[in-house]
Coordinates of all heavy atoms in Angstrom, one line a residue:
A64 N -21.5 20.2 41.4 CA -20.9 19.0 40.8 C -19.4 19.2 40.9 O -18.8 20.3 40.8 CB -21.3 18.8 39.4
F65 N -18.7 18.1 41.0 CA -17.2 18.1 41.2 C -16.6 17.9 39.8 O -17.1 17.3 38.9 CB -16.8 16.9 42.1 CG -17.2 17.1 43.5 CD1 -18.3 16.4 44.0 CD2 -16.6 18.1 44.3 CE1 -18.7 16.6 45.3 CE2 -17.0 18.3 45.6 CZ -18.0 17.5 46.1
G66 N -15.4 18.4 39.7 CA -14.6 18.2 38.5 C -14.9 19.2 37.4 O -14.5 19.0 36.2
R67 N -15.5 20.3 37.7 CA -15.9 21.3 36.7 C -14.7 22.3 36.4 O -14.6 22.8 35.3 CB -17.1 22.1 37.0 CG -18.3 21.2 36.9 CD -19.6 22.0 37.1 NE -20.7 21.1 37.1 CZ -22.0 21.5 37.1 NH1 -22.2 22.8 37.1 NH2 -23.0 20.7 37.0
R68 N -14.0 22.6 37.4 CA -12.9 23.5 37.3 C -11.6 22.8 36.8 O -11.0 22.0 37.5 CB -12.6 24.2 38.6 CG -13.7 25.2 39.0 CD -13.3 25.9 40.3 NE -13.7 25.0 41.4 CZ -14.8 25.2 42.2 NH1 -15.5 26.2 42.0 NH2 -15.1 24.4 43.1
R69 N -11.3 23.0 35.5 CA -10.2 22.2 34.9 C -9.0 23.2 34.6 O -9.2 24.4 34.4 CB -10.7 21.6 33.6 CG -11.9 20.7 34.0 CD -12.3 19.7 32.9 NE -11.4 18.6 32.7 CZ -11.3 17.5 33.5 NH1 -12.0 17.5 34.6 NH2 -10.5 16.5 33.2
Y70 N -7.9 22.6 34.5 CA -6.7 23.3 34.1 C -5.9 22.4 33.1 O -6.0 21.2 33.1 CB -5.8 23.7 35.2 CG -5.3 22.5 36.1 CD1 -4.0 22.0 35.8 CD2 -6.0 22.0 37.2 CE1 -3.6 20.9 36.6 CE2 -5.6 21.0 37.9 CZ -4.3 20.4 37.7 OH -3.8 19.4 38.4
S71 N -5.2 23.0 32.2 CA -4.5 22.3 31.1 C -3.2 21.8 31.6 O -2.5 22.4 32.4 CB -4.2 23.3 29.9 OG -5.4 23.7 29.4
T72 N -2.9 20.6 31.1 CA -1.6 19.9 31.4 C -0.9 19.5 30.1 O -1.5 19.7 29.0 CB -1.8 18.7 32.3 OG1 -2.5 17.7 31.5 CG2 -2.5 19.0 33.6
V73 N 0.2 18.9 30.2 CA 0.9 18.5 29.0 C 0.1 17.5 28.2 O 0.0 17.5 27.0 CB 2.3 17.9 29.4 CG1 3.0 17.3 28.2 CG2 3.2 18.9 30.1
G74 N -0.5 16.6 28.9 CA -1.3 15.5 28.3 C -2.8 15.7 28.2 O -3.5 14.8 27.9
G75 N -3.2 16.9 28.4 CA -4.7 17.1 28.4 C -5.1 18.1 29.4 O -4.6 19.2 29.5
S76 N -6.0 17.7 30.3 CA -6.5 18.5 31.4 C -6.8 17.7 32.6 O -7.0 16.5 32.5 CB -7.7 19.3 31.0 OG -8.8 18.5 30.8
K77 N -6.7 18.4 33.8 CA -7.0 17.8 35.0 C -8.0 18.7 35.8 O -8.2 19.8 35.4 CB -5.8 17.7 35.9 CG -4.6 17.0 35.3 CD -4.6 15.5 35.6 CE -3.3 14.9 35.0 NZ -3.2 13.5 35.3
S78 N -8.7 18.1 36.7 CA -9.7 18.9 37.5 C -9.0 19.4 38.8 O -8.2 18.7 39.4 CB -10.9 18.2 37.9 OG -10.7 17.2 38.9
L79 N -9.3 20.7 39.1 CA -8.8 21.3 40.3 C -9.2 20.5 41.5 O -8.5 20.3 42.5 CB -9.2 22.7 40.4 CG -8.6 23.6 41.5 CD1 -7.1 23.6 41.4 CD2 -9.2 25.0 41.5
E80 N -10.5 20.0 41.5 CA -11.0 19.3 42.6 C -10.3 17.9 42.8 O -10.1 17.5 43.9 CB -12.5 19.0 42.4 CG -13.4 20.3 42.4 CD -13.5 20.9 41.1 OE1 -12.8 20.6 40.1 OE2 -14.4 21.8 40.9
G81 N -10.0 17.3 41.7 CA -9.2 16.0 41.8 C -7.8 16.2 42.4 O -7.4 15.4 43.2
S82 N -7.2 17.3 42.0 CA -5.9 17.6 42.5 C -5.9 18.0 44.0 O -5.1 17.5 44.8 CB -5.2 18.8 41.7 OG -5.0 18.3 40.4
A83 N -7.0 18.7 44.4 CA -7.1 19.0 45.8 C -7.4 17.8 46.6 O -6.9 17.6 47.7 CB -8.3 20.0 46.0
A84 N -8.2 16.8 46.0 CA -8.5 15.6 46.7 C -7.2 14.8 46.9 O -6.9 14.2 48.0 CB -9.5 14.8 46.0
L85 N -6.3 14.7 45.9 CA -5.1 14.0 46.0 C -4.2 14.6 47.1 O -3.6 13.9 47.9 CB -4.3 14.0 44.7 CG -2.9 13.4 44.7 CD1 -2.9 11.9 45.1 CD2 -2.2 13.5 43.4
L86 N -4.1 16.0 47.1 CA -3.3 16.7 48.1 C -3.8 16.3 49.5 O -3.0 15.9 50.3 CB -3.5 18.2 47.9 CG -2.6 19.1 48.8 CD1 -1.2 19.0 48.4 CD2 -3.1 20.5 48.7
G87 N -5.1 16.3 49.7 CA -5.6 16.0 51.1 C -5.4 14.5 51.5 O -4.9 14.2 52.6
V88 N -5.7 13.6 50.5 CA -5.5 12.2 50.8 C -4.0 11.8 51.0 O -3.7 11.1 51.9 CB -6.2 11.3 49.7 CG1 -5.8 9.9 49.8 CG2 -7.7 11.5 49.7
A89 N -3.2 12.4 50.2 CA -1.7 12.1 50.3 C -1.2 12.6 51.7 O -0.4 11.9 52.3 CB -1.0 12.7 49.2
F90 N -1.7 13.8 52.1 CA -1.3 14.3 53.4 C -1.7 13.4 54.5 O -0.9 13.1 55.4 CB -1.9 15.7 53.6 CG -1.6 16.3 54.9 CD1 -0.4 16.9 55.2 CD2 -2.6 16.3 55.9 CE1 -0.1 17.4 56.5 CE2 -2.3 16.8 57.2 CZ -1.1 17.3 57.4
L91 N -3.0 12.9 54.5 CA -3.5 12.1 55.5 C -2.8 10.7 55.5 O -2.4 10.1 56.6 CB -5.0 11.9 55.4 CG -5.8 13.1 55.7 CD1 -7.3 12.9 55.5 CD2 -5.6 13.6 57.2
C92 N -2.6 10.2 54.3 CA -2.0 8.8 54.2 C -0.5 8.8 54.6 O 0.0 7.8 55.0 CB -2.1 8.3 52.8 SG -3.8 7.8 52.4
A93 N 0.1 10.0 54.6 CA 1.5 10.0 55.1 C 1.6 10.5 56.5 O 2.3 9.9 57.3 CB 2.3 11.0 54.2
G94 N 0.8 11.5 56.9 CA 0.9 12.1 58.2 C 0.4 11.2 59.3 O 1.0 11.1 60.4
L95 N -0.8 10.5 59.1 CA -1.3 9.7 60.2 C -0.4 8.5 60.6 O -0.1 8.3 61.7 CB -2.7 9.2 59.8 CG -3.8 10.3 59.7 CD1 -5.1 9.8 59.3 CD2 -3.9 11.0 61.1
P96 N 0.1 7.7 59.6 CA 1.1 6.7 60.0 C 2.3 7.2 60.6 O 2.9 6.5 61.5 CB 1.4 5.9 58.7 CG 0.2 6.3 57.8 CD -0.2 7.6 58.2
L97 N 2.8 8.3 60.2 CA 4.0 8.9 60.8 C 3.8 9.2 62.3 O 4.6 9.0 63.1 CB 4.5 10.1 60.0 CG 5.1 9.8 58.7 CD1 5.3 11.2 57.9 CD2 6.5 9.1 58.8
L98 N 2.6 9.8 62.5 CA 2.3 10.1 63.9 C 2.0 8.9 64.7 O 2.5 8.8 65.9 CB 1.0 11.0 63.9 CG 1.2 12.5 63.5 CD1 -0.1 13.2 63.5 CD2 2.2 13.2 64.5
E99 N 1.3 7.9 64.2 CA 1.0 6.7 64.9 C 2.2 5.9 65.2 O 2.3 5.2 66.3 CB 0.0 5.9 64.1 CG -0.5 4.7 64.7 CD -1.3 5.0 66.0 OE1 -2.0 6.0 66.0 OE2 -1.4 4.1 66.9
S100 N 3.3 6.0 64.4 CA 4.5 5.2 64.6 C 5.2 5.6 65.9 O 5.9 4.8 66.5 CB 5.4 5.3 63.4 OG 6.1 6.6 63.4
G101 N 5.0 6.9 66.3 CA 5.7 7.3 67.5 C 7.1 7.7 67.3 O 7.8 8.1 68.2
D102 N 7.7 7.5 66.1 CA 9.1 7.8 65.8 C 9.3 9.2 65.4 O 10.5 9.6 65.3 CB 9.6 6.9 64.7 CG 9.6 5.4 65.0 OD1 9.6 5.1 66.2 OD2 9.5 4.6 64.1
H103 N 8.2 10.0 65.2 CA 8.4 11.3 64.7 C 7.5 12.2 65.5 O 6.3 11.9 65.9 CB 8.0 11.4 63.2 CG 8.7 10.4 62.4 ND1 10.0 10.6 62.0 CD2 8.3 9.2 61.9 CE1 10.4 9.6 61.3 NE2 9.4 8.7 61.2
G104 N 8.0 13.4 65.8 CA 7.2 14.4 66.5 C 6.1 15.0 65.6 O 6.1 14.8 64.3
Y105 N 5.2 15.8 66.1 CA 4.2 16.4 65.3 C 4.7 17.3 64.2 O 4.3 17.2 63.0 CB 3.2 17.3 66.2 CG 2.4 16.4 67.1 CD1 2.6 16.4 68.5 CD2 1.4 15.7 66.6 CE1 1.8 15.7 69.3 CE2 0.6 14.9 67.4 CZ 0.8 14.9 68.8 OH 0.0 14.1 69.6
R106 N 5.7 18.1 64.5 CA 6.3 19.0 63.5 C 7.0 18.3 62.3 O 6.8 18.6 61.2 CB 7.3 20.0 64.1 CG 6.6 21.1 64.9 CD 7.6 22.0 65.4 NE 6.9 23.0 66.3 CZ 7.4 23.9 67.0 NH1 8.7 24.0 67.0 NH2 6.7 24.8 67.7
E107 N 7.7 17.3 62.7 CA 8.4 16.5 61.7 C 7.4 15.7 60.8 O 7.5 15.7 59.6 CB 9.4 15.5 62.3 CG 10.2 14.7 61.3 CD 11.2 13.7 62.0 OE1 11.1 13.5 63.2 OE2 12.0 13.2 61.2
A108 N 6.5 15.1 61.4 CA 5.4 14.3 60.7 C 4.7 15.3 59.8 O 4.4 14.9 58.6 CB 4.5 13.6 61.6
F109 N 4.3 16.5 60.3 CA 3.6 17.5 59.5 C 4.4 17.9 58.3 O 4.0 17.9 57.1 CB 3.2 18.7 60.3 CG 2.5 19.7 59.6 CD1 1.1 19.6 59.3 CD2 3.2 20.9 59.1 CE1 0.5 20.6 58.6 CE2 2.5 21.9 58.4 CZ 1.1 21.7 58.2
A110 N 5.7 18.2 58.5 CA 6.6 18.6 57.4 C 6.8 17.6 56.3 O 6.7 17.9 55.1 CB 8.0 19.0 58.0
I111 N 7.0 16.3 56.8 CA 7.1 15.2 55.8 C 5.8 15.0 55.0 O 5.8 14.9 53.8 CB 7.5 13.9 56.5 CG1 8.9 14.1 57.1 CG2 7.5 12.7 55.6 CD1 9.3 13.0 58.0
A112 N 4.7 15.0 55.7 CA 3.4 14.8 55.1 C 3.1 16.0 54.1 O 2.6 15.7 53.0 CB 2.3 14.7 56.1
V113 N 3.4 17.2 54.4 CA 3.2 18.3 53.5 C 4.1 18.2 52.3 O 3.7 18.3 51.1 CB 3.5 19.7 54.2 CG1 3.6 20.8 53.2 CG2 2.4 20.0 55.2
A114 N 5.4 17.8 52.5 CA 6.3 17.6 51.3 C 5.8 16.5 50.4 O 5.8 16.7 49.2 CB 7.7 17.3 51.9
L115 N 5.4 15.4 51.0 CA 4.9 14.3 50.2 C 3.6 14.7 49.4 O 3.5 14.4 48.3 CB 4.6 13.1 51.1 CG 4.2 11.9 50.3 CD1 5.0 10.6 50.8 CD2 2.7 11.6 50.4
A116 N 2.7 15.4 50.1 CA 1.4 15.7 49.5 C 1.7 16.7 48.3 O 1.1 16.5 47.2 CB 0.5 16.4 50.5
F117 N 2.5 17.7 48.5 CA 2.7 18.6 47.4 C 3.5 18.0 46.3 O 3.2 18.2 45.1 CB 3.4 19.9 47.9 CG 2.5 20.9 48.4 CD1 2.3 21.0 49.8 CD2 1.7 21.7 47.6 CE1 1.4 22.0 50.3 CE2 0.8 22.6 48.1 CZ 0.6 22.7 49.5
A118 N 4.5 17.2 46.6 CA 5.3 16.5 45.5 C 4.4 15.6 44.7 O 4.5 15.6 43.5 CB 6.5 15.7 46.2
T119 N 3.6 14.8 45.3 CA 2.8 13.9 44.6 C 1.7 14.6 43.8 O 1.4 14.2 42.6 CB 2.1 12.8 45.5 OG1 1.4 13.4 46.5 CG2 3.2 11.9 46.1
T120 N 1.2 15.7 44.3 CA 0.2 16.4 43.6 C 0.8 17.1 42.4 O 0.2 17.1 41.3 CB -0.5 17.5 44.5 OG1 -1.1 16.8 45.6 CG2 -1.6 18.3 43.8
I121 N 2.0 17.7 42.5 CA 2.6 18.3 41.4 C 3.0 17.2 40.3 O 2.8 17.5 39.1 CB 3.9 19.0 41.8 CG1 3.4 20.3 42.6 CG2 4.8 19.4 40.7 CD1 4.6 21.0 43.4
L122 N 3.5 16.1 40.7 CA 3.8 15.0 39.8 C 2.6 14.6 39.0 O 2.6 14.4 37.8 CB 4.5 13.8 40.5 CG 5.9 14.0 40.9 CD1 6.4 12.9 41.8 CD2 6.8 14.2 39.7
E123 N 1.5 14.4 39.7 CA 0.2 14.0 39.1 C -0.3 15.0 38.1 O -0.8 14.7 37.0 CB -0.8 13.7 40.2 CG -2.1 13.0 39.7 CD -3.2 14.0 39.3 OE1 -3.2 15.1 39.7 OE2 -4.1 13.5 38.5
A124 N -0.1 16.3 38.4 CA -0.6 17.4 37.6 C 0.3 17.4 36.3 O -0.2 17.7 35.2 CB -0.5 18.7 38.3
L125 N 1.6 17.1 36.4 CA 2.5 17.2 35.3 C 2.5 16.0 34.4 O 2.9 16.0 33.2 CB 3.9 17.5 35.8 CG 4.1 18.9 36.5 CD1 5.5 19.0 37.0 CD2 3.8 20.0 35.5
A126 N 2.1 14.9 35.0 CA 2.2 13.6 34.2 C 1.1 13.5 33.1 O 0.0 14.1 33.3 CB 2.0 12.4 35.2
S127 N 1.4 12.8 32.1 CA 0.5 12.7 31.0 C 0.1 11.3 30.7 O 0.9 10.4 30.9 CB 1.1 13.3 29.7 OG 2.2 12.6 29.3
K128 N -1.1 11.1 30.3 CA -1.7 9.9 29.8 C -1.3 8.6 30.6 O -0.7 7.7 30.1 CB -1.3 9.7 28.4 CG -1.8 10.9 27.6 CD -1.8 10.7 26.1 CE -2.3 11.9 25.4 NZ -2.5 11.8 24.1
G129 N -1.7 8.6 31.8 CA -1.5 7.4 32.6 C -0.1 7.3 33.3 O 0.1 6.4 34.1
L130 N 0.8 8.1 32.9 CA 2.1 8.1 33.6 C 2.1 8.4 35.0 O 3.0 8.1 35.8 CB 3.1 9.0 32.8 CG 4.6 8.9 33.1 CD1 5.1 7.5 32.8 CD2 5.4 9.9 32.3
D131 N 1.0 9.1 35.5 CA 0.9 9.5 36.9 C 0.7 8.2 37.7 O 1.1 8.2 38.9 CB -0.3 10.4 37.1 CG -1.6 9.9 36.6 OD1 -1.6 9.0 35.7 OD2 -2.7 10.3 37.1
N132 N 0.3 7.1 37.2 CA 0.1 5.9 37.9 C 1.5 5.3 38.3 O 1.6 4.6 39.3 CB -0.6 4.8 37.1 CG -2.0 5.2 36.9 OD1 -2.7 5.8 37.7 ND2 -2.6 4.8 35.7
F133 N 2.5 5.7 37.7 CA 3.9 5.4 38.0 C 4.5 6.5 38.9 O 5.2 6.2 39.9 CB 4.8 5.1 36.8 CG 6.2 4.9 37.1 CD1 6.7 3.8 37.7 CD2 7.1 5.9 36.8 CE1 8.0 3.6 38.1 CE2 8.4 5.8 37.1 CZ 8.9 4.7 37.8
L134 N 4.4 7.7 38.4 CA 5.1 8.8 39.0 C 4.6 9.2 40.4 O 5.5 9.5 41.3 CB 5.0 10.1 38.1 CG 5.7 10.0 36.8 CD1 5.5 11.3 36.0 CD2 7.2 9.8 37.1
V135 N 3.4 9.0 40.7 CA 2.9 9.4 42.1 C 3.4 8.4 43.1 O 4.0 8.9 44.1 CB 1.3 9.4 42.1 CG1 0.8 9.5 43.5 CG2 0.8 10.6 41.3
P136 N 3.4 7.1 43.0 CA 4.0 6.3 44.0 C 5.5 6.4 44.0 O 6.1 6.4 45.1 CB 3.6 4.8 43.6 CG 2.5 5.0 42.6 CD 2.6 6.3 42.0
A137 N 6.1 6.6 42.9 CA 7.6 6.7 42.8 C 8.0 8.0 43.5 O 9.0 8.0 44.3 CB 8.1 6.7 41.4
G138 N 7.3 9.1 43.3 CA 7.5 10.3 44.0 C 7.3 10.2 45.5 O 8.1 10.8 46.3
A139 N 6.3 9.6 45.9 CA 6.0 9.4 47.3 C 7.2 8.6 48.0 O 7.7 9.0 49.0 CB 4.7 8.7 47.5
F140 N 7.6 7.6 47.3 CA 8.8 6.8 47.8 C 10.0 7.7 47.9 O 10.7 7.6 49.0 CB 9.1 5.6 46.9 CG 10.4 4.9 47.2 CD1 10.5 4.1 48.3 CD2 11.5 5.2 46.4 CE1 11.7 3.5 48.6 CE2 12.7 4.6 46.8 CZ 12.8 3.8 47.8
L141 N 10.3 8.5 46.9 CA 11.5 9.3 47.0 C 11.4 10.3 48.1 O 12.4 10.6 48.8 CB 11.7 10.0 45.6 CG 12.1 9.0 44.5 CD1 12.2 9.8 43.2 CD2 13.5 8.4 44.8
V142 N 10.3 10.9 48.3 CA 10.1 11.9 49.4 C 10.4 11.2 50.7 O 11.1 11.6 51.6 CB 8.8 12.6 49.4 CG1 8.5 13.4 50.7 CG2 8.7 13.5 48.2
L143 N 9.7 10.0 50.9 CA 9.9 9.3 52.2 C 11.3 8.8 52.4 O 11.9 8.8 53.5 CB 8.9 8.1 52.3 CG 7.5 8.5 52.4 CD1 6.6 7.3 52.3 CD2 7.2 9.3 53.7
Y144 N 12.0 8.3 51.3 CA 13.3 7.9 51.4 C 14.3 9.0 51.8 O 15.2 8.8 52.5 CB 13.8 7.3 50.0 CG 15.1 6.6 50.0 CD1 15.3 5.4 50.6 CD2 16.2 7.3 49.5 CE1 16.6 4.8 50.6 CE2 17.5 6.8 49.5 CZ 17.6 5.5 50.0 OH 18.9 4.9 50.0
A145 N 14.0 10.2 51.2 CA 14.9 11.3 51.5 C 14.7 11.9 52.9 O 15.6 12.5 53.4 CB 14.6 12.4 50.4
T146 N 13.5 11.7 53.5 CA 13.2 12.3 54.7 C 13.2 11.4 55.9 O 13.3 11.9 57.1 CB 11.8 13.0 54.7 OG1 10.8 12.1 54.3 CG2 11.8 14.2 53.7
L147 N 13.2 10.1 55.7 CA 13.2 9.2 56.9 C 14.5 8.5 57.1 O 15.3 8.4 56.3 CB 12.1 8.1 56.7 CG 10.7 8.7 56.6 CD1 9.7 7.5 56.4 CD2 10.3 9.4 57.9

């Protein structure tokens, strides 16, 4: 079953599996469009996607009680704004 490995956060707890899923989905959602656009090489798209995935996963892990619904998209925007 998924979601059994939990860790404590400021606002409660999160599952390690959920955080890993966010990391993977964020990486794909950033990396694939960057590659498809043709404006970025493989290394640049990979680096941006990794930065975005880790930033959003860390923000989601640190956010408490629904604040992640704001912080994750805002963090993704800031990473993209800073790198593109």
Side-chain angles (χ1 to χ4, degrees):
F65 293 103
R67 290 188 181 186
R68 289 179 277 255
R69 302 196 73 72
Y70 60 93
S71 297
T72 65
V73 176
S76 69
K77 306 268 183 175
S78 74
L79 187 60
E80 295 88 346
S82 293
L85 174 62
L86 183 72
V88 170
F90 176 79
L91 291 174
C92 286
L95 294 177
L97 288 170
L98 285 174
E99 186 64 29
S100 73
D102 295 336
H103 308 282
Y105 290 110
R106 287 183 181 172
E107 184 182 12
F109 180 80
I111 293 169
V113 166
L115 184 136
F117 276 102
T119 55
T120 302
I121 290 167
L122 284 171
E123 191 267 341
L125 296 175
S127 63
K128 301 192 181 191
L130 194 56
D131 58 336
N132 293 328
F133 171 74
L134 290 178
V135 169
F140 169 76
L141 290 175
V142 169
L143 291 174
Y144 185 78
T146 57
L147 297 178

